[in-house]
């Protein structure tokens, strides 16, 4: 009953925003948005009462809500000309009710308690209700680390406010807010997938998402957590992020961002991304009024929260105010956002990837991947292992927060590709008809895409060129393919003798350690040099024939990849001979090799471009390769390097890429997550840079050739 | 040769609806399995399920702890601070901390201190759960089968 009463009061409070907040949204989304606004009003009311130093009471809270609602009613003007879309319910809506009811049933019985509710939100809210105020002395005690006094407190306010309605705290009712926000997520999903239509595809996606999300919630025990609010904020902000409508959409994002920022520390990062996304994706206007409208709600809740923390944090405890050490403690507590928490916030960047893919904005998609990979790499290098472990440990929560948004984006793409059910709405047809439908021969194609299109068109040439290179290498040779392994074996024998007897390493099975890494290095150095020379030769051909220059680099890479594969086949025989039979982990080697090949292609493209522009660069690169060889832990283990210098070695991409190939063979185990992250980041990042440099300099290189 | 819209509609793929139905059924089955698993977990008996990290509000250990803390709250005066000590402290530190979390959630009116921080703060009461102290120096305020409450001298 207390929950129902609270929902009604909050929705009524939020409805004071009227059409100023919702624009053309249908009634399901309007309902959810009013609830969001109402929850934010409750949070502000609770913060204000605490800031004034007054105890919590029903009357005071109701008065604060009433005051806010009347102020908004007076200020907010309905958006002109925007009429709400009619909403028709379908079979998917009926089906989605099943998981909602099941979720509500088990939650009301107290069947699930999440760790976050147990040690943070629930404990905080219960104490807030019992004490009648925010007990900073209790929160600031050294053993209440889980309670996080400096974390945003929207959820404890919401739970305690609900209990205040009937002066009785019930855990079941508090946790049932998760069900309410689960419904809000579904309503936002509905708006995105179906709008005013009843398309079968949209209804199926809606019902499917309801089942999938609730199954994750059940298996991950995600009741009473902030994840539901974050998922809802993300979903409800998506329509506004993808349209250019002005004021209602700005207001939607502003309120949802404030709600996310008031919910958890990870939500602060989400709020920043939402505000930035809306600012750049919305109308062209950069007026001061628009920026103020977007930022004001988030700034207001954050400033009041900081003020409250400073006031009570500084004056409570055994230390005398304003002791400098107390300042440090309190400010530290309020602003403490450990690197791991920042990590979870960065996950929101993933959202922009499917969004950019659906809208075919390739540069945004690439930049998103690179930014995410760069941030993960930075963390992996700063805090090896821990950051990745933290992210993977929170995978179910991350999945819950991001699943609805990513699935909706994919669902829209699929629905547009496979139209099932009713046709598209008239408005969307008009938008599509506005697109240019003629081919503009004067328009210059983006050089990056042009190079890619040319490369795809040159598939046959690549195949022929690769076969030619391999034939030339092995034809009329007495030893044939054995040459590919003879050279590494000779080097291996010398190095084994030198480093096993003269300079002793404490490494068992040194040849097994050396061989995979040396073969990988052999592939890398030879393929990059070959790409440089082959591309230079190919440029002369491209002045007469319309073929992609990169085709020559790719074929050079493929030739050396085949050589490596042959050498690896022989290497397996050698390893078998020395008592190292193949294991399942060896299946990871081709994946590592693929990443090394991607990295080599990126380096090869950069080198071949620079070599074409400055002829001395080829010789310089050979010298550089020699230095690179000895600064990569190939013939020596990384552990013999002094610890303070090791981070510099970790900046070397080949350290990680070689480890991806060597670890499954030498250690018989999969490389750790941070090595994978670094390998993917360096590989994809270098290829992107290489491709960009190579395609951008196309005209200049052809002219100089 | 380009097909007319009618011909395109006739040649349209028929399998997307089938795929959607299959995916939906698969998701429903997965959901029902998770639901059944969660129902089983919420009905676990204390004798077979010891870890407080897996307790739910309906499980018997949580009910027992709540009832004990309710009685303890009646004898610990407001404003005083009590050390919470549970039976498994010496056996499993993690279980003791999880039990402490449950105690804080269920009895917020008592200012509880975990045993880890016993040396750092001043406390005047001792709430012992799952064992009984045999110390003459403490005044016993409450004696129950589950534990007791003591006042420190």
């Amino acid at each position: 009953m207390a929950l129902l009463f609270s929902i009604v009061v909050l929705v009524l409070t939020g409805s004071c925003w009227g059409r100023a907040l919702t624009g053309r949204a249908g009634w399901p989304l309007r309902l959810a948005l009013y609830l969001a606004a109402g929850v934010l009003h409750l949070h502000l009311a609770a913060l204000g009462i605490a800031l004034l130093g007054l105890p919590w009471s029903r009357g005071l809270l109701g008065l604060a809500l009433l005051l806010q609602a009347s102020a908004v009613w007076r200020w907010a003007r309905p958006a002109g000309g925007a009429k709400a879309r009619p909403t028709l319910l379908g079979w998917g809506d009926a089906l989605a009710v099943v998981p909602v009811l099941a979720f509500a049933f088990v939650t009301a019985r107290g069947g699930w308690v999440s760790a976050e509710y147990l040690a943070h939100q629930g404990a905080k809210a219960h104490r807030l209700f019992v004490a009648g105020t925010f007990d900073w002395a209790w929160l600031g005690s050294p053993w209440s680390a889980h309670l996080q006094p400096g974390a945003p407190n929207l959820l404890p306010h919401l739970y305690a406010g609900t209990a205040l309605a009937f002066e009785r705290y019930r855990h079941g009712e508090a946790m049932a807010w998760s069900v309410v926000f689960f419904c809000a997520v579904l309503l936002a999903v509905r708006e995105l997938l179906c709008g005013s239509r009843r398309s079968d595809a949209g209804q199926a996606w809606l019902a499917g998402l309801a089942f999938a999300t609730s199954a994750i919630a059940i298996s991950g025990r995600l009741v009473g957590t902030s994840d539901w609010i974050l998922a809802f904020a993300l979903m409800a902000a998506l329509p506004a992020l993808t349209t250019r409508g002005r004021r209602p959409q700005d207001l939607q994002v502003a309120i949802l961002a404030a709600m996310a920022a008031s919910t958890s520390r990870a939500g602060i990062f989400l709020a920043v991304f939402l505000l930035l996304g809306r600012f750049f994706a919305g109308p062209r206007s950069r007026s001061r009024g628009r920026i103020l409208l977007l930022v004001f709600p988030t700034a207001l809740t954050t400033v009041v929260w900081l003020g409250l923390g400073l006031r009570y944090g500084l004056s409570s405890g055994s230390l005398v105010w304003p002791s400098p050490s107390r300042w440090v403690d309190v400010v530290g507590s309020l602003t403490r956002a450990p690197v791991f928490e920042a990590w979870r916030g960065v996950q929101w960047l993933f959202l922009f990837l499917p969004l950019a893919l659906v809208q075919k904005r390739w540069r945004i998609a690439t930049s998103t991947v690179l930014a995410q990979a760069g941030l993960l790499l930075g963390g992996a290098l700063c805090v090896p292992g821990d950051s990745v472990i933290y992210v993977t440990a929170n995978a179910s929560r991350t999945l819950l927060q991001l699943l609805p948004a990513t699935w909706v984006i994919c669902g829209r793409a699929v629905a547009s590709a496979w139209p099932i059910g009713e046709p598209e709405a008239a408005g969307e047809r008009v938008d599509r008809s506005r697109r240019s439908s003629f081919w503009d021969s004067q328009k210059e194609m983006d050089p990056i895409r042009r190079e890619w299109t040319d490369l795809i068109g040159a598939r046959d040439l690549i195949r022929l060129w690769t076969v030619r290179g391999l034939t030339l290498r092995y034809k009329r040779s007495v030893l044939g393919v054995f040459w590919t392994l003879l050279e590494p074996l000779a080097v291996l024998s010398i190095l084994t003798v030198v480093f096993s007897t003269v300079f002793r390493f404490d490494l068992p099975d040194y040849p097994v350690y050396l061989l995979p890494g040396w073969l990988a290095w052999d592939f890398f150095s030879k393929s990059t040099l070959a790409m440089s020379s082959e591309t230079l030769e190919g440029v002369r051909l491209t002045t007469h024939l319309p073929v992609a220059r990169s085709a020559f680099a790719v074929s050079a890479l493929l030739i050396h990849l085949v050589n490596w594969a042959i050498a690896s086949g022989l290497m397996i025989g050698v390893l078998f001979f020395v008592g190292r039979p193949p294991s399942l982990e060896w299946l990871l080697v081709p994946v590592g090799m693929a990443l090394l090949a991607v990295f080599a292609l990126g380096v090869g493209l950069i080198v071949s471009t620079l070599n074409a522009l400055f002829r001395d660069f080829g010789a310089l690169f050979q010298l550089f390769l020699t230095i690179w060889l000895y600064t990569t832990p190939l013939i020596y283990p990384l552990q013999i390097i002094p610890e303070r210098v090791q981070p510099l070695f970790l900046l070397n991409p080949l350290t990680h890429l070689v480890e991806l190939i060597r670890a499954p063979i030498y250690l018989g185990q999969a490389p750790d997550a941070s090595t994978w992250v670094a390998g993917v980041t360096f590989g994809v990042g270098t290829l992107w840079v290489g491709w960009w440099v190579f395609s951008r300099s196309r005209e200049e290189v052809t002219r100089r050739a | 040769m380009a097909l007319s819209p009618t011909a395109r509609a006739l040649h349209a793929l028929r399998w997307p609806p089938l795929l959607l139905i299959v995916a939906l059924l698969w998701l429903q089955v997965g959901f029902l399995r998770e639901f059944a698993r969660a129902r089983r977990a919420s009905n676990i008996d204390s004798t077979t399920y010891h870890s407080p990290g897996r307790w739910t509000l309906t499980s018997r250990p949580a009910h027992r702890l709540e009832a004990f803390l309710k009685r303890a709250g009646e004898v610990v005066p407001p404003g005083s601070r009590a050390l919470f000590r549970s039976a498994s402290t010496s056996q499993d530190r993690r279980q003791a901390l999880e039990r402490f979390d449950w105690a804080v959630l269920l009895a917020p009116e008592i200012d509880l201190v975990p045993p880890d921080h016993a040396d750092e703060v001043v406390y005047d009461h001792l709430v012992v759960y799952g064992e009984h102290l045999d110390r003459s120096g403490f005044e016993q305020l409450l004696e129950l089968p589950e534990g007791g409450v003591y006042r420190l001298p």
Side-chain angles (χ1 to χ4, degrees), chain A residues 171 183 202-203 262 307-308 322 386 485 506 580 682:
Chain A
H171 293 290
C183 290
Q203 293 286 317
S262 311
L308 189 71
D386 289 356
L485 192 68
D506 191 17
R580 285 286 185 114
F682 280 125

Side-chain angles (χ1 to χ4, degrees), chain A residues 95 99 102 105-106 109-112 118 122-123 126-127 130 138 143 171 175 204 208 211 214 218-219 221 418 420, chain B residues 15-16 20 24 27-28 31 34-35 37-39 42 53-58 102 104-105 108 111-114 117 121:
Chain A
L95 212 53
F105 170 72
V106 185
R109 286 191 66 231
W112 301 316
L118 174 66
H126 203 177
R127 178 75 176 197
V130 169
W138 180 72
W143 55 85
H171 293 290
M175 289 192 294
F211 282 111
S214 52
I218 296 168
S219 58
R221 298 154 70 91
W418 294 344
I420 306 168
Chain B
W15 47 273
L20 277 178
L24 211 52
L27 284 170
Q28 286 176 24
F31 167 76
E34 290 299 337
F35 182 73
R37 201 166 65 92
R39 285 292 312 276
S42 67
R54 308 296 295 271
W55 288 358
T56 66
L57 287 168
T58 52
W102 272 98
V104 171
L105 179 78
D111 197 351
L112 292 170
V113 179
H117 292 79
V121 288

